[in-house]
């Protein structure tokens, strides 16, 4: 025997071998179609018996193997079925002749044969024949199975007759010696009459009869004959046939113990237990064995025989049989097949280690020079057997050898497809999977070096197959899964190969389906680059949407009435599925930041990197990046524009690296950190860009609220100066600007501000709304800086009234004097001592203008945007009021306010006040200005609370009253400064300079005294004219503006004349007389009430007269301040009466 059958198993010993072959030209598809139907009839129940016949069909069988049919009868071809096509009667004789020639090949062993003719009709086809069956076509052959069953019954008849003939003991006949082909030359010239020779003949015949019994379905009888053959052959040391008898004994025992079979074939096989027990019962009935063709002597031997082997003994006998086969070089095929059979039995018994010993023995069995196809078959079967016993890596090893054998250099046309297919089958054995997701979980499994070698071989086989897509897929898989095990040089080599392949066929994310149906999943490059974290970024501060607060407030949830729900608390999804607390806006560019790392030893170029999203239509804007070799964490920002509203989920990103397009999903990257991947996209809102008339500021405001400011502008102003800030609002979005609200707040201000720092009128701007995209609206803001003008450094000398020039009074003769710093307050620092004074200190004011705007669909949903403009104002000092005092005026309702004004600028400056001439101040010069002002009624301002519970607000209220007083006084003074050289001007405020004493001097007394002469109010320089001899009415009116009742009062009127030389003449009894008393009495006056006393004067001579009014000293007048009892002066001029005109 030269051709081993690697598919052999122990139960094949009970089968009859039938060869099915075509004659002439038969289509392959049609042949195998009929062959499939024939081979389906693999077991047939024998009529009138419980025995079953098993048939093994082969469409190819080497004739030299048939020569071993006497050694093991299941190797003998006992049936021949030929299939042919014959279209006419003329072809029939030739076809039939071919049938006879085919029978001659196996003629010595054939029991019976059949010829199936397709396509022949007519007289010939109608002739009844037992060995020939005619069918019109391959579709009209319903009786094929019935013909095969009849054919098998005829085989059984012949088999049974041969069994009976060989089993019957013919003592008078000589038993022939059964030989294997290579033994025939060794037995020439032997003594055939020797006892040794006869025992050999008997033992071999017993073994042969055992084979026939096993094929005939008589399992127990075959066991008996095998036992007898073993004893006979062992006694004569006939090792080859002893091994065959032992193997037959093992096969019969396996059939008994494992009725399902050991070959792993799917198909019903009748259990042998029932037939065994039935035969055992019949064997003890008288005459039963005789009726089965075994005489009484044979039955006695059967009765003494041992039963079938135990599972353990089966393996021992297999070992013994194989050891006997190993003694014969020409029995290598028999030994190899016995090893394969034993391994299949051990696989069922789950005795893997012993099975591996048999397989290891089979590997080293030397056969003749095998063809490449036979080598492939041998290694493939070894691989399959190792797989069955659980030696997966060993199985993969032999499968890989078989694959390499398919592409051996000695083959003219290497089978690269077969090589590739076998290599794919080796992957599980080396813990390899074609799915990259299997390598992203847990530690690496298997030997990485072997796996890389295997993947390289897959790439090479794919290239030789002419399939560049497969090359790219396997190289991508190698680079993705084995990156940690590749050396730097190997990484460069693999990437260069990959780039050369992708130049012809780019790598895609499509599933590759092989011809055999195997699917190769896509390989995304999740390690090129490696992504450590994914973070969805909020929009820039100026573009972030805000929701208009509802009346219920933001903390009220309408989803559930419960404060806490365990269902909600425990139904949280994974971290990446949580919703983020900010929103994106439809139509705006949104950003996602990835922290990436390049593990390659060279620069990595990533092209076409973008986002993968679901839920909302999203336009991803791809990016290209270049990462340095083995870079650390590197931030990469991917952007896109949501086109619709709703919830959007960022599922991953896509890249193009080395020509391979990858879709990397975050679900497949368990190590990636994320702040959540789902965000809400709200309807579109307008976008506003701000430009101003002021230059941008290098100072960046840091508001306490944490809001970012999009634009910062700066301006330098003198204290008291006002400047306009023109702001242009440009709608750079796609939605109309419909609503605008402007608010301002000051930040980081340590100085006290007087008046409105920022003011504007929004009505003119709103007239331009709605502002269409691309249009510009103008907005004007007035910046007015008014800080404290008092000189708090106390660096100036105390100036006496004689050492300062006074402006504003008609009697003053102004002169200039440069102010010097005090000696005792010189700074200790030598550098600072050179300064004239610290009046050049620049103070800073900062404010934020907030623009709250909305429009479009987002406005309808209640969303708006905030845009912040930072304003940085540097305030340089203009003038200082170093000293303030008051002088009384000629009127009780007026006074003079004296201000020492210091020019702290480096330019000439003019000061002006209401009803005063301009005062020119040179740089560093100080002068005094006097301003005549009407006294003020401060009683209308809120008083400080007297209640102790409100003492906390007392200070605040007092400050408010002080501020209101200062504002009113300042508005009446209207002090302004100008710098002609710079063409800059502003106002100077005394609000921070006023002290309590000055305020008291500027305040009207709560008791208002009015004196009327002849109905005319007398005060200041007012002169009342009257005629001599006419009584002049005199009224004294008291109005009480205090909170308490005052009075009664007594006033005495004393007239006098002023000679303008310091002499007053009170002796005027002959010049003036009072009509009534010269003492006026005023009763108690309640708050907010008044009282009037009437009297009269009579002038006897002409002249200028004055009234000196004195209060009587009593309790009421002593309790009140003197300022409350200040009466106006009265000046009366008496003239001659006008003579009446004579007619």
């Amino acid at each position: 025997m030269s051709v081993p059958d690697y598919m052999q198993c122990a139960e094949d010993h009970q089968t009859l071998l039938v060869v099915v072959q075509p004659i002439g030209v038969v289509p392959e598809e049609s042949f195998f179609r009929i062959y499939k139907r024939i081979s389906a009839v693999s077991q047939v129940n024998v009529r009138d018996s419980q025995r079953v016949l098993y048939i093994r069909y082969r469409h190819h069988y080497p004739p030299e193997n048939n020569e071993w049919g006497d050694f093991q009868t299941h190797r003998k071809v006992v049936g021949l079925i030929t299939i042919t096509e014959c279209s006419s009667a003329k072809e029939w004789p030739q076809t039939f002749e071919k049938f006879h020639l085919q029978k001659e090949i196996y003629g010595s062993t054939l029991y019976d044969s059949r010829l199936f003719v397709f396509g022949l009709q007519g007289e010939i086809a109608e002739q009844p024949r037992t060995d020939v069956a005619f069918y019109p076509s391959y579709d009209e052959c319903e009786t094929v199975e019935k013909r095969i069953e009849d054919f098998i019954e005829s085989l059984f008849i012949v088999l049974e007759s041969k069994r009976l003939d060989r089993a019957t003991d013919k003592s008078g006949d000589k038993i022939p010696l059964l030989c294997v082909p290579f033994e025939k030359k060794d037995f020439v010239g032997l003594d055939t009459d020797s006892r040794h020779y006869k025992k050999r003949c008997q033992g071999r015949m017993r073994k042969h009869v055992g084979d026939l019994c096993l094929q005939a379905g008589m399992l127990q009888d075959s066991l008996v004959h095998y036992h007898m053959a073993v004893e006979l052959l062992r006694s004569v040391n006939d090792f080859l046939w002893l091994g065959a008898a032992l193997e037959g004994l093992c096969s019969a025992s396996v059939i008994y113990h494992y009725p399902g079979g050991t070959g792993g074939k799917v198909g019903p096989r009748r259990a042998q237990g029932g037939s065994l027990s039935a035969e055992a019962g019949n064997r003890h009935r008288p005459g039963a064995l005789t009726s089965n063709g075994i005489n009484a002597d044979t039955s006695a031997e059967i009765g003494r025989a041992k039963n079938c082997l135990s599972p353990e003994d089966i393996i021992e006998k297999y070992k013994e049989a194989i050891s006997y086969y190993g003694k014969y070089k020409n029995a290598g095929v028999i030994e190899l097949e016995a090893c394969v059979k034993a391994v299949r039995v051990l696989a069922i018994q789950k005795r893997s280690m012993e099975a591996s010993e048999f397989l290891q023995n089979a590997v080293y069995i030397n056969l003749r020079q095998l063809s490449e196809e036979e080598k492939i078959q041998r290694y493939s079967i070894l691989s399959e057997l190792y797989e069955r016993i659980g030696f997966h890596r060993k199985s993969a090893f032999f499968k890989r050898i078989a694959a390499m054998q398919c592409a051996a250099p000695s083959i003219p046309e290497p089978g690269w497809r077969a090589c590739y297919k076998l290599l794919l089958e080796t992957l599980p054995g080396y813990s390899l999977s074609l799915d990259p997701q299997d390598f992203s979980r847990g530690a690496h499994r298997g030997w990485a070096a072997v796996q890389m070698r295997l993947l390289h071989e897959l790439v090479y086989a794919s290239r030789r197959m002419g399939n560049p897509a497969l090359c790219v897929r396997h190289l991508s898989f190698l680079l993705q899964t084995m990156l940690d095990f590749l050396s730097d040089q190997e990484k460069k080599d693999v990437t260069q190969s990959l780039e050369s392949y992708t130049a012809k066929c780019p790598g895609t994310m499509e599933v590759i389906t092989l011809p055999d149906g195997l699917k190769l999943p896509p390989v995304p490059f999740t390690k090129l680059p490696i992504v450590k974290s994914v973070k969805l970024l909020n929009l820039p501060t100026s573009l972030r949407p805000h929701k208009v607060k509802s009346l219920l407030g933001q903390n009220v949830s309408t989803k559930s009435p419960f404060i806490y729900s365990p269902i909600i608390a425990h139904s949280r999804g994974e971290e990446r599925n949580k919703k983020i607390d900010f929103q994106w806006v439809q139509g705006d560019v949104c950003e996602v930041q990835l922290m990436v790392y390049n593990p390659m030893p060279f620069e990595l170029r990533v092209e076409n990197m973008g986002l993968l999203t679901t839920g909302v239509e999203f336009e991803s804007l791809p990016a290209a990046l270049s990462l340095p070799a083995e870079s650390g964490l590197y931030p990469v920002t991917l952007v896109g524009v949501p086109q619709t509203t709703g919830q959007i989920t960022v599922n991953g990103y896509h890249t193009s690296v080395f020509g391979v397009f990858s879709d990397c999903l975050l679900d497949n990257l368990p190590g990636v950190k994320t702040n959540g991947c789902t965000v809400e996209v709200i309807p579109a809102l307008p976008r506003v860009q701000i430009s101003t008339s002021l230059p941008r500021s290098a100072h960046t405001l840091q508001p306490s609220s944490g809001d970012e400011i999009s634009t910062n502008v700066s301006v330098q102003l003198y204290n008291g100066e006002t400047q306009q800030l023109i702001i242009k609002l440009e709608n750079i979005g796609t939605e109309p600007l419909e609503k605008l609200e402007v608010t301002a707040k000051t930040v980081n201000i340590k100085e006290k501000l007087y008046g409105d720092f920022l003011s504007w009128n929004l009505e003119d701007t709103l007239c331009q709304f709605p502002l269409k995209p691309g249009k510009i609206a103008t907005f004007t803001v007035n910046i007015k800086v008014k800080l404290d003008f008092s000189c708090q450094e106390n660096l100036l000398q105390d100036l006496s009234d004689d050492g300062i020039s006074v402006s504003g009074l008609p009697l003053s003769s102004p002169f200039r004097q440069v102010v010097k710093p005090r000696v005792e307050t010189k700074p200790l620092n030598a550098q600072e001592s050179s300064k004239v004074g610290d009046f050049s200190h620049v103070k800073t004011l900062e404010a934020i203008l907030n623009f709250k705007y909305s429009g479009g669909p987002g406005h309808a949903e209640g969303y708006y945007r905030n845009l912040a403009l930072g304003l940085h104002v540097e305030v340089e000092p203009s003038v200082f009021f170093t000293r303030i005092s008051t002088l009384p005026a000629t009127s009780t309702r007026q006074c003079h306010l004296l201000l020492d004004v210091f020019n702290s600028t480096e330019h000439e400056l003019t000061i002006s006040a209401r009803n005063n001439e301009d005062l020119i101040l040179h740089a560093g010069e100080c002068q005094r200005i006097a301003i005549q002002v009407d006294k003020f009624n401060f009683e209308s301002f809120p008083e400080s609370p007297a209640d102790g519970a409100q003492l906390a607000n007392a200070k605040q209220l007092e400050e408010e009253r002080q501020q209101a007083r200062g504002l009113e006084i300042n508005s009446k003074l209207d002090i302004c400064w100008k710098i002609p050289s710079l063409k800059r001007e502003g106002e100077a405020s005394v609000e921070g300079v006023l002290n309590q004493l000055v305020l008291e001097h500027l305040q009207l007394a709560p008791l208002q005294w009015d004196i009327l002469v002849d109905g005319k109010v007398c005060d200041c320089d007012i002169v009342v004219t009257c005629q001599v001899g006419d009584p002049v009415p005199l009224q004294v009116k008291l109005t009480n503006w205090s909170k308490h009742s005052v009075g009664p009062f007594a006033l005495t009127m004393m007239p006098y004349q002023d000679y303008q030389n310091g002499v007053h003449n009170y002796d005027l009894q002959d010049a003036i007389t009072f009509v009534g008393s010269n003492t006026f009495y005023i009763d108690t006056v309640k708050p907010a009430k008044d009282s009037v006393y009437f009297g009269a004067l009579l002038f006897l001579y002409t002249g200028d007269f004055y009234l000196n009014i004195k209060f009587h000293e009593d309790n009421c007048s002593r309790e009140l301040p003197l300022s409350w009892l200040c009466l106006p002066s009265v000046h009366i001029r008496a003239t001659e009466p006008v003579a009446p005109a004579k007619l």
Side-chain angles (χ1 to χ4, degrees):
M1 261 180 79
S2 59
V3 182
D5 183 4
Y6 295 100
M7 301 305 295
Q8 285 252 335
C9 49
E11 53 267 24
D12 287 344
H13 283 250
Q14 68 177 348
T15 61
L16 298 175
L17 180 58
V18 175
V19 176
V20 183
Q21 291 182 337
I23 296 178
V25 180
V26 178
E28 184 177 357
E29 181 182 357
S30 301
F31 170 75
F32 281 103
R33 182 176 164 192
I34 299 301
Y35 177 78
K36 184 177 181 181
R37 293 180 62 183
I38 292 173
S39 59
V41 188
S42 60
Q43 61 185 47
V44 177
N45 294 323
V46 180
R47 294 179 184 176
D48 304 327
S49 172
Q50 295 181 352
R51 285 187 281 172
V52 180
L53 243 62
Y54 295 94
I55 314 300
R56 188 169 89 257
Y57 296 95
R58 294 288 184 269
H59 55 80
H60 175 74
Y61 193 73
E64 57 268 25
N65 286 11
N66 197 36
E67 297 174 0
W68 289 71
D70 289 338
F71 183 71
Q72 289 176 327
T73 57
H74 71 283
R75 302 181 184 277
K76 183 188 298 184
V77 179
V78 297
L80 175 65
I81 300 175
T82 55
I83 299 172
T84 186
E85 284 187 3
C86 185
S87 57
S88 63
K90 294 179 180 180
E91 298 177 1
W92 167 244
Q94 184 181 0
T95 301
F96 195 68
E97 181 64 24
K98 290 180 181 179
F99 173 56
H100 281 287
L101 292 176
Q102 194 72 20
K103 285 198 297 183
E104 290 178 1
I105 299 176
Y106 307 104
S108 60
T109 60
L110 286 179
Y111 293 173
D112 201 355
S113 60
R114 290 288 186 273
L115 173 63
F116 288 174
V117 183
F118 292 88
L120 184 60
Q121 296 180 353
E123 184 180 350
I124 298 176
E126 294 174 356
Q127 295 177 1
R129 300 175 65 98
T130 57
D131 58 343
V132 180
F134 297 94
Y135 295 102
S137 65
Y138 293 104
D139 295 328
E140 301 177 11
C141 52
E142 294 83 3
T143 61
V144 167
E145 287 81 3
K146 183 65 174 65
R147 289 269 189 175
I148 297 300
E149 290 179 2
D150 296 341
F151 171 64
I152 293 174
E153 287 187 2
S154 67
L155 295 180
F156 173 73
I157 293 172
V158 179
L159 173 65
E160 187 67 9
S161 64
K162 287 184 177 291
R163 184 189 67 80
L164 292 174
D165 180 57
R166 300 291 174 87
T168 304
D169 186 10
K170 299 177 181 179
S171 56
D173 297 338
K174 190 174 182 180
I175 300 175
L177 178 65
L178 302 177
C179 301
V180 295
F182 71 86
E183 285 182 325
K184 292 179 180 179
K185 60 182 179 179
D186 298 333
F187 290 148
V188 176
L190 286 179
D191 183 9
T192 58
D193 294 331
S194 65
R195 183 181 178 189
H196 188 275
Y197 182 81
K198 290 181 179 179
K199 276 194 172 184
R200 175 177 292 183
C201 292
Q202 289 175 1
R204 292 188 177 189
M205 185 57 68
R206 280 292 179 184
K207 187 266 171 196
H208 182 66
V209 173
D211 287 349
L212 295 176
C213 290
L214 190 59
Q215 285 182 310
M218 302 175 66
L219 181 61
Q220 188 64 46
D221 290 357
S222 67
L223 287 170
V224 172
H225 288 291
Y226 285 139
H227 278 292
M228 293 173 63
V230 167
E231 292 178 3
L232 289 171
L233 295 172
R234 195 187 299 275
S235 64
V236 295
N237 293 333
D238 191 355
F239 295 117
L240 181 62
W241 285 78
L242 175 58
L246 289 172
E247 186 181 356
L249 184 61
C250 292
S251 299
S253 300
V254 168
I255 292 169
Y256 173 73
H257 284 293
Y258 309 106
T262 61
K265 299 175 184 178
V266 179
R269 180 179 290 271
R270 175 176 292 184
Q272 302 292 336
S275 60
L276 183 68
S277 59
E279 294 172 5
N282 292 335
R283 194 162 286 116
H284 298 286
R285 294 202 305 270
L289 295 180
T290 304
S291 62
N292 285 332
I294 301 178
N295 61 13
D297 294 336
T298 307
S299 65
E301 293 175 2
I302 294 173
R304 290 192 295 271
K306 298 178 182 179
N307 292 326
C308 69
L309 302 175
S310 65
E312 292 77 13
D313 291 338
I314 291 174
I315 304 305
E316 294 301 322
K317 298 302 180 186
Y318 262 125
K319 288 182 180 178
E320 185 179 354
I322 291 170
S323 67
Y324 293 146
Y325 291 151
K327 297 178 183 292
Y328 300 89
K329 182 176 64 175
N330 294 322
V333 173
I334 304 297
E335 180 185 2
L336 177 61
E337 291 182 354
C339 288
V340 171
K341 296 170 191 175
V343 169
R344 296 185 189 278
V345 174
L346 285 167
I348 293 179
Q349 295 180 358
K350 302 186 184 304
R351 297 162 66 179
S352 300
M353 293 304 296
E354 294 179 64
S356 67
E357 295 176 4
F358 280 94
L359 278 177
Q360 195 67 25
N361 182 63
V363 171
Y364 295 108
I365 294 175
N366 292 322
L367 302 178
R368 61 173 176 78
Q369 189 67 29
L370 298 177
S371 65
E372 299 299 335
E373 184 178 351
E374 289 173 337
K375 289 179 181 178
I376 294 170
Q377 185 184 14
R378 180 180 185 183
Y379 294 133
S380 298
I381 293 300
L382 286 172
S383 171
E384 177 189 333
L385 293 174
Y386 271 115
E387 183 71 25
R388 290 194 64 182
I389 64 175
F391 282 41
H392 303 295
R393 194 165 61 232
K394 200 73 175 260
S395 169
F397 172 79
F398 283 103
K399 187 81 74 175
R400 179 181 166 275
I401 294 178
M404 295 297 101
Q405 206 66 46
C406 292
S410 57
I411 300 179
E413 295 182 1
W416 288 108
R417 293 189 180 277
C419 172
Y420 179 80
K421 184 176 182 299
L422 289 172
L423 284 175
L424 287 179
E425 294 175 2
T426 64
L427 297 181
Y430 290 115
S431 301
L432 263 179
S433 164
L434 293 176
D435 190 353
Q437 294 186 17
D438 296 338
F439 287 82
S440 63
R441 306 180 184 95
H444 187 90
R445 294 180 62 249
W447 293 345
V450 178
Q451 293 170 341
M452 288 190 289
R453 175 70 179 272
L454 184 60
L455 289 172
H456 276 296
E457 291 169 351
L458 278 173
V459 172
Y460 185 74
S462 302
R463 183 173 69 84
R464 296 301 299 268
M465 286 165 55
N467 194 335
L470 276 181
C471 297
V472 172
R473 183 58 51 88
H474 290 307
L475 263 181
S476 303
F477 184 86
L478 170 63
L479 197 57
Q480 169 68 17
T481 59
M482 303 295 165
L483 187 64
D484 298 338
F485 304 98
L486 292 172
S487 65
D488 290 351
Q489 186 60 41
E490 287 173 335
K491 290 177 182 178
K492 294 180 181 178
D493 295 340
V494 171
T495 53
Q496 289 175 358
S497 301
L498 183 59
E499 286 180 322
S500 65
Y501 288 131
T502 54
K504 304 174 184 177
C505 179
T508 65
M509 286 299 293
E510 297 178 358
V511 176
I512 297 179
T513 303
L514 300 178
D516 58 355
L518 182 64
K519 296 182 183 298
L520 299 183
V523 183
F525 277 157
T526 58
K527 293 184 178 180
L528 296 173
I530 298 173
V531 177
K532 292 293 186 182
S533 67
V534 176
K535 182 180 181 181
L536 276 66
L537 300 182
N538 199 349
L539 293 173
T541 308
S542 60
L543 297 179
R544 291 177 188 172
H546 304 274
K547 183 75 171 176
V548 177
K549 293 183 179 180
S550 63
L551 296 177
L552 294 176
Q554 296 295 321
N555 297 327
V556 178
S557 175
T558 57
K559 294 182 179 179
S560 173
F562 301 104
I563 297 175
Y564 169 79
S565 171
I567 300 175
I568 298 174
H570 295 286
S571 63
R572 298 174 181 144
E574 296 182 0
E575 185 183 31
R576 62 170 54 95
N577 292 329
K578 70 179 182 182
K579 188 177 177 181
I580 304 176
D581 58 356
F582 58 78
Q583 294 91 24
W584 284 351
V585 180
Q586 174 189 358
D588 282 5
V589 176
C590 305
E591 298 178 334
V592 176
Q593 187 183 69
L594 280 65
M595 299 301 293
V596 300
Y597 166 71
N598 175 20
M600 305 301 279
F602 49 84
E603 184 181 24
L604 180 66
R605 290 188 57 81
V606 183
E607 301 174 355
N608 195 31
M609 191 171 189
L611 296 172
L612 298 175
T613 61
T614 57
V616 164
E617 183 181 345
F618 188 80
E619 179 187 358
S620 179
L621 305 178
L625 58 140
S626 180
L627 299 175
E630 296 180 347
S631 67
L633 285 180
Y634 191 86
V636 175
T637 301
L638 301 181
V639 300
V641 180
Q643 303 294 334
T644 57
T645 61
Q647 284 194 358
I648 185 172
T649 301
V650 177
N651 298 322
Y653 59 93
H654 62 81
T655 60
S656 175
V657 181
F658 305 128
V660 178
F661 295 92
S662 304
D663 290 347
C664 306
L665 301 179
L666 298 183
D667 289 340
N668 299 333
L669 304 174
V672 172
K673 297 180 180 179
T674 176
N675 63 336
C677 294
T678 301
V679 67
E680 183 182 0
V681 179
I682 67 164
L685 286 168
R687 294 179 59 190
V688 171
Q689 181 177 348
I690 282 185
S691 59
T692 68
S693 58
L694 296 180
R696 287 183 174 270
S697 172
H699 301 82
T700 302
L701 272 66
Q702 298 294 336
S704 57
S705 60
D707 296 335
E708 295 181 10
I709 297 173
S710 57
T711 307
N712 289 275
V713 296
S714 64
V715 65
Q716 179 268 329
L717 298 175
Y718 283 104
N719 190 10
E721 189 176 3
T722 301
Q723 181 163 335
Q724 282 191 341
L725 168 62
I726 300 175
I727 301 173
K728 292 182 179 180
L729 304 172
E730 182 180 0
N731 185 359
I732 60 173
T734 58
E735 301 296 331
L737 180 59
E738 302 174 10
K739 184 179 180 181
L740 177 66
E741 295 180 11
V742 183
T743 57
K745 63 178 179 180
T746 56
V747 293
N748 304 330
I749 290 184
K750 302 177 182 178
E751 308 296 332
K752 183 175 178 60
L753 268 172
Y754 297 95
D756 293 331
F757 178 34
L758 301 175
S759 59
W760 59 84
N761 186 3
L762 195 58
E763 294 181 0
D764 296 338
T765 305
L766 294 179
C767 292
Q768 307 174 48
F769 281 34
L771 193 65
K772 295 182 179 179
K775 299 297 181 180
I776 299 176
T778 312
F779 178 64
T780 303
V781 177
N782 294 316
I783 306 173
K784 185 176 183 180
V785 291
K786 199 162 62 169
L787 299 179
D788 191 0
F789 284 82
S790 63
C791 182
Q792 299 177 356
E793 288 83 354
N794 296 322
L795 293 176
L796 297 180
Q797 302 178 16
D798 290 333
L799 300 175
S800 65
D801 291 349
D802 296 331
I804 194 78
S805 60
V806 178
S807 175
L809 291 178
L811 55 119
S812 64
S813 56
F815 63 95
R816 295 187 178 93
Q817 176 183 351
V818 178
V819 180
K820 297 180 180 180
R822 284 187 180 181
V823 178
E824 62 271 15
T825 57
K826 283 186 178 180
L828 297 177
N829 193 332
Q831 295 179 356
E832 294 181 0
S833 64
S834 62
K835 296 182 183 179
V836 174
D838 192 15
F839 293 101
S840 62
H841 178 63
V842 177
K843 298 179 179 178
T844 300
L845 299 180
E846 292 180 338
I848 298 176
L849 277 170
N850 282 311
F851 297 86
K852 178 179 175 182
Y853 65 94
S854 184
H859 177 53
E861 295 291 332
Y863 288 96
Y864 64 92
R865 276 178 166 153
N866 263 339
L867 190 59
L869 173 65
L871 179 61
H872 179 88
V873 181
E874 293 183 350
V875 184
E876 294 189 12
S878 54
V879 296
F880 283 116
F881 296 117
T882 62
R883 188 177 179 187
I884 185 171
S885 61
T886 59
L887 286 177
T890 54
S891 172
T892 59
R893 298 192 181 184
Q894 290 182 336
C895 72
H896 292 285
L897 186 65
L898 303 182
L899 294 170
D900 293 351
V901 186
F902 175 74
N903 178 9
S904 63
T905 68
E906 298 177 355
H907 308 276
E908 187 177 89
L909 180 144
T910 62
I911 289 287
S912 64
R914 182 176 295 179
N915 301 325
N916 275 46
E917 296 179 359
D918 291 349
L919 174 65
I920 298 177
L921 292 176
H922 293 282
E925 184 181 7
C926 185
Q927 290 196 39
R928 178 168 295 168
I929 183 173
I931 306 172
Q932 182 174 315
V933 293
D934 295 332
K935 292 186 177 182
F936 300 88
N937 181 15
F938 297 140
E939 299 302 324
S940 59
F941 301 113
E943 296 291 339
S944 299
D947 189 0
Q950 299 179 353
L951 287 178
N953 297 327
K955 186 176 181 181
Q956 181 180 357
L957 281 174
E958 183 61 29
E959 290 179 356
E960 291 179 0
R961 293 178 67 245
Q962 192 90 347
Q963 184 176 355
R965 292 173 181 177
L967 182 62
E968 183 178 357
I969 294 172
N970 192 66
S971 64
K972 297 291 179 63
L973 296 178
D974 195 16
I975 305 174
C976 297
W977 57 262
K978 289 182 182 180
I979 304 178
S981 61
L982 300 179
K983 296 182 180 180
R984 299 174 71 169
E985 62 182 13
E987 64 175 278
S989 172
V990 297
E991 296 178 49
V993 187
L994 300 173
N995 53 42
Q996 188 62 36
L997 180 61
V998 173
L999 286 175
E1000 290 179 0
H1001 289 172
L1002 292 176
Q1003 184 176 4
L1004 280 172
L1007 299 184
Q1008 181 177 337
W1009 299 90
D1010 293 316
I1011 298 178
L1012 286 79
V1013 177
D1014 197 12
K1016 297 178 182 180
V1017 176
C1018 294
D1019 193 12
C1020 195
D1021 298 329
I1022 298 176
V1023 179
V1024 180
T1025 303
C1026 65
Q1027 293 182 0
V1028 174
D1030 293 337
V1032 180
L1034 179 63
Q1035 301 177 25
V1036 178
K1037 180 181 179 182
L1038 172 60
T1039 305
N1040 182 12
W1041 293 112
S1042 68
K1043 296 181 179 180
H1044 309 283
S1045 298
V1046 292
F1049 299 102
L1051 295 87
T1052 299
M1053 302 292 181
M1054 298 176 64
Y1056 68 93
Q1057 281 184 313
D1058 188 358
Y1059 293 149
Q1060 300 297 323
N1061 58 0
V1063 177
H1064 291 176
N1065 180 18
Y1066 285 92
D1067 187 14
L1068 300 176
Q1069 292 86 354
D1070 298 333
I1072 299 175
T1073 181
F1074 280 87
V1075 180
S1077 173
N1078 67 338
T1079 300
F1080 289 23
Y1081 293 95
I1082 299 177
D1083 294 332
T1084 302
V1085 182
K1086 294 183 178 179
K1089 300 296 182 180
D1090 55 27
S1091 178
V1092 182
Y1093 183 87
F1094 297 94
L1097 284 172
L1098 180 62
F1099 291 89
L1100 303 177
Y1101 296 99
T1102 61
D1104 288 329
F1105 300 93
Y1106 296 89
L1107 288 182
N1108 184 7
I1109 305 173
K1110 290 187 177 181
F1111 284 88
H1112 291 194
E1113 290 188 3
D1114 54 10
N1115 292 334
C1116 292
S1117 60
R1118 281 199 294 267
E1119 290 177 357
L1120 297 177
L1122 291 177
S1123 60
W1124 287 30
L1125 304 176
C1126 221
L1127 277 79
S1129 61
V1130 180
H1131 184 184
I1132 304 172
R1133 180 171 294 162
T1135 61
E1136 291 289 343
V1138 180
K1142 296 182 180 180
L1143 296 177

